[in-house]
Amino acid sequence: MAKVKTTFFCQNCGTQHAKWVGQCTTCKQWNTVVEEVIQKEDKRSWKTTNTTQQKRITKPLLVKEIELHPEERIQTKNAELDNVLGEGLVKGAVILLGGEPGIGKSTLLLQIALQIPQKVLYVSGEESQSQIKMRAERLQIDSANCLILTETNTQEIFKHIEKTVPDVLVIDSIQTLYTNTIEASPGSISQIRETSSELIKFAKETATPVLLIGHINKEGHIAGPKILEHMVDVVLQFEGDRNHSYRILRSLKNRFGSTAELGIYEMLADGLREVSNPSEILISKKDPDLSGIAIASTLEGVRPLMIEIQALVSTAVYGTPQRTTTGYNLKRLHMILAVLEKRAGFRLGAKDVFLNVTGGIQVEDPAMDLAVVAAILSSNQDIAIHPNICFAAEVGLAGEIRPVPKIDQRILEAEKLGYKIFITSKHNKITNKNHRIKLILVSKIEETLAALFAEQ
C-alpha cells in the first residue's frame, strides 16, 4: 500500500505550505491552514487524445502575422445571459456562477439548460432527479435535449459524457464533486482545485462549454481557492435580496466580452423572467406630490437605465447627524453634502440625510450626482420635483456640473420612456440636436436650482 501523503492548504487563498503555520504567508490570515491528504495516482479522469499528446511546435509571431479566428458561440435563447456573456456561450469556455444560497442559481441554469436547442447534460450533486423534474415542470419549458444526471464522482461523470457526447455541460455544484485521484473530502481546497482542473481540461480539449455553480462563503466570495476564479474564463455573480423578486446578473470576469454588462431577472412562480426594460422595476409608482424623489439616467455597460433616487433630510435628533445610503457610495454622499454647504449655501451640517436607490441595485455611475443633489434639496425644501424631469451629470468639488459619457444614449432612453425635460451639463457633446425632449444645459449648481424650481 502506498504511503499516505499530506500537505497543508490555506482555506482562504489556497496557498500550499510545507508545514502547518498559524498565519498564511500569502494572504496574512490567521488559523486558515489545514492539513489535507493529497495522495495522487497516475491515472487521470479525462484521457488526453492522441492529437493533444503530440508535441506542439510553436514559434513567436509578430502581431500583424497572427491570424484571427472568431470564437464559435452557442445561443442560450436567454437574451439577458447572452448579453452579459457577449452574445452567447463560447465553445470550450468554462463559466463559474456564484451567488448566495436560495438566490436562484440552480433555477437559472436549469432554465437555460432546458432552453438551449443543443444537447445539454445537467449534472447535479445536490438534488435528486425527481426534485429536478419537479422544478422543470414548474418552469413549464418543453425540452427533448436536456439530460439529467445525479452524480458527484468525476470519473463516473466522464463515463456518461463519453456515452452521451453533450454540447453543453452544467455542473451543480463544483463544491459537491470529488475525484479518486486524490484522497480528500468533497468541498476541500484540493478537491475543488483538482475537479476544476479536470473539467477545464475536458472543456478545452472537446470545445464543450462548461457552466459551474459555486457556493459563496460568509464574506460573499466564492468558496474554495482563489485560484479557481483565475482558472475559469468567465465569473458571473447572481445578486439580489431573497425578500424581493428581482435578481441581477453581473460579470466579474469575462475573457470573451465586456465586464460592464448587466442582466436583470424577476423571480416568479414559474421561473425567472427576463426584464428587457429595467426602468419598470427601478422606478416606483408614486404620488407626484412627494418630495425628495429624483430620476437619474445611468449607464450599465451599453444599457441606459432610469433609476429613482429617494432622499430624506430631517433635523438631527441626537447631536451627531446621520448619513445613511442604500445602493450609493457613502463617501460620495459626504462629498456632495460638503459641496452643497460650501458652494450653494445650504446648511445641511446639522441634519440627518438618508439616501436610497430603489430596486435594490448598486450603482457607481458618477452621472447620478445631479439627481442626488436634486433629491436632497427637494426633501430639504419639501418641494416635489416634477416626475417628467430626469438628470444626468457629475458634480465637481467646485460646484461645477461636469459632462458624462454617452449622453446621446441617455437622452434617447429618457425620450423613449416619456420624460419631457432632461437636465445635464452644458459641456456635454450632444451630436443629435433634434431631440423631442426639452434639454436644460447648466454649468453650476445654482443654475440647476433656478432651472429646476422654475419648472415647477
Side-chain angles (χ1 to χ4, degrees), residues 274-338:
E274 302 171 46
V275 179
S276 57
N277 179 21
S279 300
E280 71 180 67
I281 68 170
L282 301 176
I283 299 178
S284 59
K285 305 295 187 254
K286 62 183 184 302
D287 192 323
D289 296 330
L290 295 177
S291 62
I293 298 177
I295 306 299
S297 176
T298 184
L299 210 65
E300 286 287 342
V302 298
R303 168 183 287 182
L305 305 175
M306 309 304 291
I307 294 179
E308 180 180 312
I309 308 295
Q310 296 178 336
L312 176 62
V313 180
S314 62
T315 304
V317 179
Y318 306 102
T320 303
Q322 300 181 62
R323 277 87 168 91
T324 305
T325 62
T326 303
Y328 190 74
N329 192 322
L330 181 60
K331 293 182 179 179
R332 195 160 189 86
L333 174 63
H334 289 162
M335 182 269 289
I336 289 177
L337 294 176

Side-chain angles (χ1 to χ4, degrees), residues 89-275:
L89 292 170
V90 175
K91 290 190 174 182
V94 181
I95 300 163
L96 178 63
L97 174 66
E100 294 181 354
I103 205 69
K105 304 183 296 296
S106 300
T107 301
L108 175 63
L109 289 194
L110 179 59
Q111 187 169 324
I112 292 167
L114 295 172
Q115 289 176 335
I116 295 178
Q118 287 84 356
K119 184 186 291 187
V120 180
L121 178 61
Y122 186 96
V123 181
S124 177
E126 301 182 344
E127 296 177 305
S128 64
Q129 290 177 321
S130 59
Q131 288 176 307
I132 299 173
K133 170 69 173 178
M134 291 170 59
R135 178 180 292 151
E137 289 181 345
R138 191 173 71 249
L139 296 176
Q140 299 178 0
I141 302 175
D142 294 329
S143 174
N145 299 318
C146 183
L147 302 172
I148 306 297
L149 173 65
T150 55
E151 182 59 65
T152 56
N153 189 330
T154 55
Q155 279 78 19
E156 297 298 323
I157 292 173
F158 287 128
K159 288 179 183 178
H160 290 287
I161 288 175
E162 291 179 352
K163 293 178 183 178
T164 58
V165 192
D167 298 308
V168 179
L169 177 64
V170 179
I171 303 292
D172 182 12
S173 64
I174 187 63
Q175 279 83 9
T176 61
L177 299 189
Y178 72 95
T179 175
N180 292 332
T181 58
I182 60 173
E183 303 236 350
S185 59
S188 61
I189 298 285
S190 53
Q191 281 288 5
I192 292 176
R193 180 162 49 193
E194 189 68 20
T195 54
S196 300
S197 300
E198 292 176 357
L199 290 169
I200 292 172
K201 183 179 179 182
F202 158 74
K204 301 306 179 184
E205 292 183 3
T206 62
T208 303
V210 177
L211 290 91
L212 308 174
I213 289 180
H215 298 163
I216 64 172
N217 53 29
K218 60 182 180 181
E219 287 84 14
H221 305 298
I222 296 175
K226 193 67 178 177
I227 194 174
L228 175 60
E229 297 180 36
H230 297 284
M231 292 165 62
V232 300
D233 299 305
V234 182
V235 179
L236 303 179
Q237 186 78 14
F238 206 38
E239 304 172 354
D241 189 343
R242 282 182 291 176
N243 298 321
H244 295 81
S245 60
Y246 297 108
R247 305 286 186 266
I248 297 172
L249 184 65
R250 294 182 184 273
S251 175
L252 305 182
K253 170 189 175 182
N254 192 352
R255 289 176 178 163
F256 309 108
S258 171
T259 58
E261 301 301 332
L262 194 74
I264 299 181
Y265 297 87
E266 181 182 9
M267 178 66 81
L268 302 174
D270 57 349
L272 291 160
R273 179 182 72 89
E274 302 171 46
V275 179

Side-chain angles (χ1 to χ4, degrees), residues 335-361:
M335 182 269 289
I336 289 177
L337 294 176
V339 171
L340 287 175
E341 185 149 353
K342 177 72 175 180
R343 305 296 180 184
F346 287 92
R347 303 304 176 193
L348 301 173
K351 295 187 177 181
D352 295 335
V353 180
F354 305 93
L355 195 72
N356 177 45
V357 178
T358 61
I361 188 173

Side-chain angles (χ1 to χ4, degrees), residues 7-17 24 26-27 29 32-34 36 188-190 192-193 222-228:
T7 189
F8 297 87
F9 288 101
C10 174
Q11 292 179 313
N12 184 59
C13 64
T15 303
Q16 184 174 346
H17 299 270
C24 177
T26 303
C27 65
Q29 295 295 316
T32 58
V33 178
V34 295
E36 293 185 5
S188 61
I189 298 285
S190 53
I192 292 176
R193 180 162 49 193
I222 296 175
K226 193 67 178 177
I227 194 174
L228 175 60

